[in-house]
Amino acid sequence: MSNADVYILAIESSCDDTAAAVLKNNQVLSNVVAGQKIHEEYGGVVPELASRAHQQNIVPVIDAALKKAGIDKKELNAIAFTQGPGLMGSLLVGTSFAKSLALSLQLPLIAVNHMHAHILAHFIDEEGYEKPDFPFIALTISGGHTQIVKVKSFFEMEIIGETTDDAVGEAFDKSAKILGLPYPGGPLIDKYAKEGNPKAFPFTKPKVEGLNFSFSGLKTQIMYFVQKSVAADPDFITNNMNDICASIQHTIIEILMEKLKMAVTETGIKRISIGGGVSANSGIRATLKAAESKYGWKTYIPKFEYTTDNAAMIGIVGYHKFLEQQFNDAEVTSKARIAF
Ligand code: KG4
Ligand code: ZN
């Protein structure tokens, strides 16, 4: 069987994480991620700085991934990389590196859609992790995206709902910024929310047609609420941090759950997966788990390291494309926006 084994080097550089992974078929041999602290002081990702940091990180990250996997470049069967969507300057670093590596090693090149990768991360072989059967509903929630996708097969997916403005990760990060928390604030809201009362400050949910989302109104509402409360009590934030965070998180979870319930009703599909950085949120994970007994859903929540941006998820798409011989030629280019 070993002759048929497929070794893929995957590269991800769509936003502010430089990542490389080596997969042997659908198993992850290494999964290396270098984050970029530089953006913290700016309160958000600065594209020019991200691109420069990718250039500095890409060689050591790929070397580390190969070394950890115990694989020599000559043993690889293909190079997979993130084509888009993402920041152009960031994507270009990974794309050009993947192209030149594939050319010099005479290997097939596989372009991967970052959003497909968040969804197909569930097909990474992990002991004790049950992969979803098709069709299933994927909720992809990250700093850049909020989508509900009907996944019919590895390569047939349909977006049935998405945000009309901010992504859910932005809703977390911008709310955190209003509270004076550093970027990215999502994990901090999660942390404080654990100690707070989710019903302390009721926020109204936006009214959006169908399965689409809107988060910009919530951010504005939180901003006015905080400004007003601080005017009355300068210590309002410090004294109520846990309750404010729990209330924000609770509102976001209710918005997501409402749309997921609608998606289940509309499609009749009760298999629900989540992916993207925000699916690391402990409140979202617990609410989804509870939906199994509450609504009879079967939920799929990937391992934490395959949830935030990583290259293993690019590698699993690469593997399935390899099996179908879906390769790209050297003319392939990065795309900041990409057709689903
Ligand atoms: O998927 P990801 O790593 O990068 C993008 O493709 O955007 O997602 C990053 C986003 C950030 O907005 C971050 O605040 C959010 O995921 N995030 C969380 C948590 N962990 C990461 N949001 C809420 N709770 C968390 N525990
Ligand atoms: Zn992502």
Side-chain angles (χ1 to χ4, degrees), residues 16-74:
D16 60 340
D17 290 307
T18 319
V22 177
L23 271 76
K24 176 187 179 183
N25 306 321
N26 54 4
Q27 284 177 342
V28 176
L29 300 183
S30 63
N31 188 28
V32 178
V33 183
Q36 303 180 355
K37 285 225 160 291
I38 182 91
H39 307 287
E40 271 174 27
E41 54 193 285
Y42 296 94
V45 176
V46 184
E48 289 76 12
L49 296 179
S51 173
R52 196 178 312 158
H54 281 306
Q55 287 171 34
Q56 283 164 356
N57 292 343
I58 196 150
V59 171
V61 165
I62 290 175
D63 276 348
L66 288 166
K67 209 165 162 202
K68 254 188 154 168
I71 294 293
D72 188 86
K73 283 200 278 280
K74 294 189 184 71

Side-chain angles (χ1 to χ4, degrees), residues 114 118 142-144 169-170 172-173 184-187 190 276-278 280-281 307-309:
H114 182 90
H118 272 303
S142 75
E170 283 179 281
F172 271 106
D173 296 339
D190 189 1
V278 180
N281 184 273
T307 291
T308 52
D309 283 355

Side-chain angles (χ1 to χ4, degrees), residues 257-274:
M257 287 306 288
E258 198 172 282
K259 298 293 175 163
L260 270 184
K261 281 189 263 182
M262 272 173 76
V264 169
T265 310
E266 276 187 23
T267 61
I269 300 166
K270 289 187 169 187
R271 282 180 293 276
I272 314 287
S273 77
I274 51 168

Side-chain angles (χ1 to χ4, degrees), residues 139 141 148 168 205 211 213 215 249-265 272 274 283-292 294-295 297 299:
L139 174 69
I141 40 180
I148 302 182
V168 64
K205 285 178 277 171
L211 298 175
F213 299 95
F215 288 101
Q249 184 168 304
H250 174 73
T251 311
I252 292 176
I253 295 175
E254 286 219 307
I255 296 170
L256 296 174
M257 287 306 288
E258 198 172 282
K259 298 293 175 163
L260 270 184
K261 281 189 263 182
M262 272 173 76
V264 169
T265 310
I272 314 287
I274 51 168
I284 294 175
R285 287 179 167 239
T287 309
L288 266 183
K289 210 72 225 138
E292 296 207 323
K294 205 167 169 190
Y295 308 122
W297 297 358
T299 60

